[in-house]
Amino acid sequence: MKNLKMMALALTTIFTLNSCSNDDSPVVEEELITTLTATFVGGGQTITLTSRDLDGDGPNAPVITVSGNFAAETTYSGSVQFLNELENPAENITEEIEEKDLEHQVFYQISNSLGNFTYSDFDTDGNPLGLEFTFTTGANPGTGTITITLRHLPNKNAAGVSEGNITNAGGSTDVEVSFPVVVI
């Protein structure tokens, strides 16, 4: 009888310990971004850069459009929006980025020294977020690309990251698009 009680106690202990898992970490669901739209307003014009990839991770390349040319020596106020258009209605991923501002940063790179970007918005720790920006074109006309990258969990304290240098940012890329642009 004593052995039967000991076995029952041992079985109860085993079942209790097995039911308590330490794997209670939350599941992070990765958002799908199908559409990136950057809007530039300045010099009496509005220029929109759009990338739409309506098959998500499918085989078709995104459709990239640029609505016009930038003017030299002009300052543009800008903003960027991220959507998942596979949802109906479209899911505004930008709102989630704003809510989790410490975990995200948008980076802007332009080739051929055609201009400079500066951040206009910041996270709750005072580091750049990048959903709003200022773009100032240089004096010389030319062609190049503007690359917009959304990084998840970047190291915002790494060298150069707060100035928009993506080199030391780390983290993972949620979306990255290069747009052909002309400065006249």
Side-chain angles (χ1 to χ4, degrees), residues 75-148:
T75 299
Y76 297 86
S77 295
S79 63
V80 63
Q81 181 181 50
F82 302 94
L83 299 175
N84 176 3
E85 292 191 285
L86 295 181
E87 297 289 328
N88 187 11
E91 180 183 7
N92 188 347
I93 305 297
T94 312
E95 294 171 353
E96 183 179 328
I97 294 168
E98 288 173 325
E99 290 171 8
K100 297 179 179 178
D101 59 358
L102 297 174
E103 299 176 5
H104 296 91
Q105 185 171 341
V106 183
F107 292 88
Y108 300 90
Q109 299 165 286
I110 184 160
S111 65
N112 300 332
S113 301
L114 294 174
N116 294 304
F117 284 90
T118 55
Y119 289 103
S120 299
D121 62 343
F122 301 89
D123 64 24
T124 51
D125 281 349
N127 293 310
L129 178 57
L131 295 174
E132 297 176 8
F133 56 85
T134 299
F135 175 57
T136 304
T137 55
N140 299 320
T143 60
T145 57
I146 291 176
T147 301
I148 301 173

Side-chain angles (χ1 to χ4, degrees), residues 29 36 41 56 61 75 78-79 84 125 131 142 145 148 156 162 165-166 179:
E29 193 171 308
L36 182 162
V41 179
T75 299
S79 63
N84 176 3
D125 281 349
L131 295 174
T145 57
I148 301 173
K156 294 187 176 191
S162 63
N165 185 342
I166 197 170
F179 298 92

Side-chain angles (χ1 to χ4, degrees), residues 47 66 68-72 76 114 137 141-145 179-184:
I47 298 172
V66 177
N69 298 328
F70 292 94
Y76 297 86
L114 294 174
T137 55
T143 60
T145 57
F179 298 92
V181 295
V182 177
V183 176
I184 55 173

Side-chain angles (χ1 to χ4, degrees), residues 161-173:
V161 173
S162 63
E163 290 80 36
N165 185 342
I166 197 170
T167 305
N168 298 320
S172 62
T173 298

